[in-house]
DNA sequence: GCTGGAATCGAAAACGTTTTCGACAGAGAA
DNA sequence: TTCTCTGTCGAAAACGTTTTCGATTCCAGC
């Protein structure tokens, strides 16, 4: 591996001068600088990031923690989608990403922030942090910039990045209204913070529409199974809603499967709209109309947040990125009236 | 940040002795070693990995390249699933993972191996490398250990890690046979290496079963769209197969949707089995029976491969990890005979 | 008592950078 | 001419480790 000394030796100058020339400092002559740059290129010199970090005290590296939420496992882990946005932003700003996970409990018997400290990363992005995480306090009092994505918690010294859940829910609800629905129910996920926000948006909407009824809300836990049982429950009602806003795609798909089993068809008999736009949501039958989280935008925003804090020293409390409605085939206009004849 | 000097100073010993004591060398007294370890703990000393790397010349870091295959985008990128296995393995063996992506073309105007060189990573795992990648030669002649996952290519100095595609296909085919199917077709993906392997397994199976017919094979490109058009084509046949082995889940789901549109039902009228077990494959209606790639195992195997090569210097050509069949609801026994009545 | 070796520790170099400070030359102003 | 200033460069320290080698002590064996 060719070092800065090699360049210095072949040119007969000092290493300090080479370093300054390569780093664009102004106390080196133009002619010499050109020669240094030339031979650096000829020798295919690459500055050693390790040595550089040792002296500059900044690693130009940030830690990303992919936390396994409630044991869903990888296949259901939505978090990977954010990683792509983070990755792009990091590449643009010439930072490296080191990746950690907490699924291996035996190893990470230490706080995420401790890991950051030992790895000397400049900042951290944590995706999927739960409210009952045992290291929650450490995270919220971290001495380095931290961004939280896809998380239940808020507050503290970390910046909270998420979709604008209320706006997203409004998008879905307005779509339903524009289709002519007047009886729209919800399957909420009240235990999570985003879930509560989405529910509140529904509650306001339903109140405005005059269809707020206690028996139009069911509780789920983000799993398809909870969607299926909610479908059973809805299907048994005397006066079924004509549309359901589910707080997540997984639950929305559970609803579809549950209704399917009971013989009520989507979207002919009932419209269903989800939230998230999980992978392959366009492939379940019928293709799910849902409000898509801008996972790329969220990842990028989180990255910009911590890096900006690193540069400027000023932290942002919260960043909301706008989701967008993607209409597919699980919603339709309600049937003329809740008649008695079936066909 | 507390350094090795701090603990040397408080104990009145030299830094070299502290280093040796902490690293378990045998030329330091037991009593002194104990005191050093104690004060290291008291001072919450963490060895600086940067400084350590500078002198040991090993970074204990490996690069992972997530390549965006054929513009599928993140949502369709199967690659993330492997990352989890890699992550676990890396944690166990105390290596750090730095992540790269190639989706940002403007930045990565340099070979992956060049990036490894500049980042001083000890080894690399590349997922999703295509056969026509412009840096293919560089990868296959890399001076560091490299493992290839989910890739079309093989050979060279890299170790190739993948599912045992032939065995996996056999699993699916035998399942179909055990259900009583005698006319099983295939939707292949001949342009890719794994696709060809899966097709060969089908061909052998079909030959053994006596149902090998040219018009029982259709070509797809791994997209759901190609599955849909294949379904059209199959549905138009005078003598339809009773089951189809698709070379990927995406195509299998496309088949289901295509048949659905033509009024042929899965699995009542035709059975369909996929390959991969993509996220949420259990949620499409009907739940897809498929052969699941052991993504965790593959990731772990790739990691072990490069790390073992780093330790021992000996490289493995190819590692095949066994997939497993997961039967869900898209396959059933064939109907008694191709009768004329519909119900 | 002397020699040999083992055990224990410190001094110092090394890794590849960046950065500070001082040296020196030349140019311009007094 | 002398003084000051600017421009250009080198020497050296520093970052926090690891590792080699030499120094010292201690004890067993003769």
């Amino acid at each position: 591996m060719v070092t800065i000394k090699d360049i210095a030796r072949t040119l007969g100058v000092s290493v300090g001068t080479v370093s300054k020339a390569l780093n664009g400092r102004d106390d080196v002559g133009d002619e010499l600088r050109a020669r240094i740059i030339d031979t650096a290129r000829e020798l295919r010199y690459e500055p050693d990031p390790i040595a550089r970090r040792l002296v500059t005290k900044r690693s130009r590296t940030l830690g990303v923690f992919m936390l396994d939420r409630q044991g869903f496992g990888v296949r259901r882990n939505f978090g990977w989608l954010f990683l792509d946005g983070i990755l792009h932003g990091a590449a643009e700003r010439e930072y490296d990403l080191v990746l950690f996970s907490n699924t291996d409990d035996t190893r990470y018997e230490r706080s995420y922030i401790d890991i950051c400290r030992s790895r000397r990363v400049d900042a951290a992005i944590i995706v999927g942090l739960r409210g009952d995480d045992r290291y929650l306090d450490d995270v919220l009092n971290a001495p380095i910039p931290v961004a939280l994505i896809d998380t239940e918690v808020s507050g503290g010294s970390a910046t909270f990045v998420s979709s604008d859940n209320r706006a997203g829910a409004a998008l879905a609800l307005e779509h339903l209204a524009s289709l002519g629905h007047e009886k729209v129910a919800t399957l909420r996920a009240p235990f999570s913070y985003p879930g509560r926000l989405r529910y509140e948006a529904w509650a306001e909407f339903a109140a405005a529409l005059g269809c707020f009824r206690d028996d139009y809300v069911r509780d789920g836990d983000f799993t398809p199974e909870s969607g299926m049982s909610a479908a059973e429950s809805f299907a048994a009602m005397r006066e079924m809603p004509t549309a359901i806003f589910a707080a997540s795609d997984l639950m929305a798909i559970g609803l579809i499967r549950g209704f399917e089993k009971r013989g009520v068809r989507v979207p002919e008999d009932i419209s269903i709209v989800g939230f998230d736009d999980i992978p392959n949501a366009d492939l379940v039958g019928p293709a799910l109309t849902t409000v898509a989280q801008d996972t790329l935008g969220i990842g990028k925003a989180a990255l910009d947040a911590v890096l900006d804090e690193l540069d400027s020293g000023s932290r942002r409390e919260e960043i909301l990125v706008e989701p967008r409605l993607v209409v597919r085939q699980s919603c339709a206009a309600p049937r003329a009236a809740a008649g008695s004849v079936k066909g």
Side-chain angles (χ1 to χ4, degrees), chain A residues 143-164:
Chain A
I144 57 173
V146 171
L148 264 26
I149 296 182
D150 193 31
T151 182
E152 302 170 355
V153 304
S154 179
S157 76
T159 108
F160 177 77
V161 184
S162 81
S163 288
D164 188 336

Side-chain angles (χ1 to χ4, degrees), chain A residues 102-120:
Chain A
N102 75 332
T103 46
D104 183 3
D105 275 349
T106 64
R107 174 156 163 72
Y108 288 125
E109 283 297 342
R110 46 189 309 186
S111 138
Y112 317 124
I113 304 303
D114 254 12
I115 297 178
C116 289
R117 212 170 62 92
S118 78
R119 296 314 203 290
R120 305 298 195 268

Side-chain angles (χ1 to χ4, degrees), chain A residues 25 33 66-67 104 127 133 135 170 172 193 195 203 214 233 240 247 252 283 296 331:
Chain A
R25 303 214 156 232
R33 178 194 307 277
M66 294 293 306
L67 269 29
D104 183 3
V127 8
D133 194 287
Y135 300 126
Y193 180 60
D214 282 342
S233 166
M240 258 181 57
L283 295 181
L296 248 69
C331 292

Side-chain angles (χ1 to χ4, degrees), chain A residues 9 31-32 37 79 90 98 120 125-126 231 235 247-248 279 288 308 311 315 318 321 341:
Chain A
R9 191 167 347 105
E31 189 264 351
L32 178 55
I37 291 179
V98 336
R120 305 298 195 268
I125 298 178
I126 304 181
S248 82
L288 190 66
D308 288 346
D311 291 341
R315 180 178 57 85
E318 186 179 38
V321 358
V341 284

Side-chain angles (χ1 to χ4, degrees), chain A residues 53-338:
Chain A
R53 284 169 200 171
L54 184 60
V55 47
T56 61
K57 309 260 79 188
R58 283 189 51 167
S59 67
R60 285 199 84 81
T61 286
L62 50 89
V64 177
F65 292 82
M66 294 293 306
L67 269 29
D68 185 30
R69 283 248 255 160
Q70 53 209 18
F72 270 12
V74 239
R75 296 195 121 71
R76 285 280 153 78
N77 196 339
F78 195 61
W80 301 111
L81 298 181
F82 301 107
L83 205 45
D84 208 53
I86 302 175
L87 214 44
H88 278 66
E92 278 179 19
R93 299 181 66 158
E94 310 221 20
Y95 265 74
D96 280 349
L97 241 47
V98 336
L99 199 58
F100 303 101
S101 133
N102 75 332
T103 46
D104 183 3
D105 275 349
T106 64
R107 174 156 163 72
Y108 288 125
E109 283 297 342
R110 46 189 309 186
S111 138
Y112 317 124
I113 304 303
D114 254 12
I115 297 178
C116 289
R117 212 170 62 92
S118 78
R119 296 314 203 290
R120 305 298 195 268
V121 299
D122 293 336
I125 298 178
I126 304 181
V127 8
L129 185 70
R130 299 186 54 180
D132 61 353
D133 194 287
R134 54 181 165 170
Y135 300 126
L136 187 60
D137 286 344
D138 260 28
V139 169
L140 297 183
N141 298 317
I144 57 173
V146 171
L148 264 26
I149 296 182
D150 193 31
T151 182
E152 302 170 355
V153 304
S154 179
S157 76
T159 108
F160 177 77
V161 184
S162 81
S163 288
D164 188 336
N165 286 291
R166 304 182 66 100
L171 245 36
L173 266 5
E174 284 159 11
H175 176 62
L176 255 21
S178 77
L179 249 31
H181 290 278
E182 292 173 347
K183 297 189 289 185
V184 359
T186 190
L187 172 53
R188 63 178 184 176
F191 72 90
S192 90
Y193 180 60
R196 282 193 294 274
L197 257 22
R198 294 168 196 178
Y199 169 72
E200 286 172 14
W202 172 85
E204 290 176 12
F205 173 85
L209 210 64
C211 73
F212 185 99
R213 295 166 41 168
D214 282 342
D215 60 348
Y216 268 10
V217 6
R218 295 288 188 286
D219 287 349
D221 58 0
F222 278 150
T223 66
E225 289 73 22
S226 67
M228 290 189 62
S229 60
E232 299 276 345
S233 166
F234 276 124
M237 291 179 67
R238 286 170 314 176
E239 192 179 1
M240 258 181 57
T242 62
I244 303 178
F245 166 60
S248 82
D249 282 357
L250 251 25
M251 293 197 299
I253 297 171
L255 281 171
I256 294 178
R257 294 291 157 257
F259 280 128
E260 193 173 61
K261 190 175 298 182
R262 298 275 301 208
V264 6
R265 299 169 56 190
V266 179
E268 291 82 356
D269 299 329
I270 194 163
S271 289
I272 291 179
V273 51
F275 204 112
D276 283 344
D277 196 23
I278 60 174
N280 306 318
D282 55 334
L283 295 181
V284 306
L288 190 66
T289 105
T290 187
V291 7
Q293 295 206 50
D294 180 8
T295 55
L296 248 69
I298 291 177
K300 183 71 160 51
L303 183 113
D304 285 337
V306 291
L307 259 40
D308 288 346
E309 181 177 345
L310 223 44
D311 291 341
S312 70
S314 69
R315 180 178 57 85
R316 297 186 55 181
E317 285 274 352
E318 186 179 38
I319 300 176
L320 258 32
V321 358
E322 292 309 308
R324 68 175 220 287
L325 181 75
V326 10
V327 354
R328 289 194 274 246
Q329 291 158 14
S330 65
C331 292
R335 291 188 305 182

